[in-house]
Amino acid sequence: KKTGTTIRWRPDVEVFTDIDIPEEYFDDMLHRKAGGNAGVTFRLRIEKDTGFETRDYCYENGIVDYVKELAGGAAFTEPEFISAERKGRDREDKPVYKFKADISFCVSQSVTMLEYFHNSSFLEHGGSPDRAVRVGFVYGIDKYLKATGKYNKNESKITFADIADCLVLVISSNSTITSYENQTKKAINNSF
């Protein structure tokens, strides 16, 4: 049986002053959506003068395959994958909600990429996930460097800028309650 959702989109010239949206916008958007949705195929069909051009986007293993593709041949490591589910609340007076996060990352020679998805939407500015990554990576690597005596005498503590230069990371999270930083929904600010 055929399953799925089909969306046909045509801009209303009464609403949009400029309807010349570049094909690359849709290509990039569906590429990212597929990366954050394991096993789901996103199909872009663009009508041309000669008929329809069709492109499919699918990552069977979701963000792990997406990270592997982003890093390309420049990866030092294979992508790591971490998945966690928790229940919590942002404040005592707020309700408890469910939260799930899938995280994949690798170390790369030349590619730097941090991408965040929440409830299947791309978070251009990240918000809480970005802050958690920055604190978590610095804490973990600093702890390791101290425990193994890897810091040289008078060397300053590692910063996220040191780590980000070689990090390819994608987080796909879901929660039953989401708090966006503003109306553009490009970042979340859930504290839990």
Side-chain angles (χ1 to χ4, degrees), residues 72-146:
F76 274 138
T77 64
E78 285 295 312
E80 293 291 327
F81 179 76
I82 301 165
S83 186
E85 290 185 53
R86 303 283 187 276
K87 288 183 182 180
R89 63 180 71 189
D90 291 334
R91 294 191 325 235
E92 279 302 314
D93 62 329
K94 295 291 184 182
V96 171
Y97 62 91
K98 294 179 186 176
F99 176 80
K100 180 180 189 285
D102 291 335
I103 304 159
S104 185
F105 65 92
C106 71
V107 176
S108 169
Q109 283 178 261
S110 58
V111 178
T112 299
M113 178 71 65
L114 303 173
E115 286 192 0
Y116 308 100
F117 299 88
H118 187 71
N119 292 347
S120 193
S121 294
F122 175 58
L123 300 175
E124 186 177 340
H125 303 298
S128 298
D130 185 60
R131 288 187 294 277
V133 163
R134 291 170 185 274
V135 169
F137 270 88
V138 169
Y139 173 81
I141 293 173
D142 179 62
K143 184 177 175 182
Y144 168 79
L145 293 172
K146 285 178 183 173

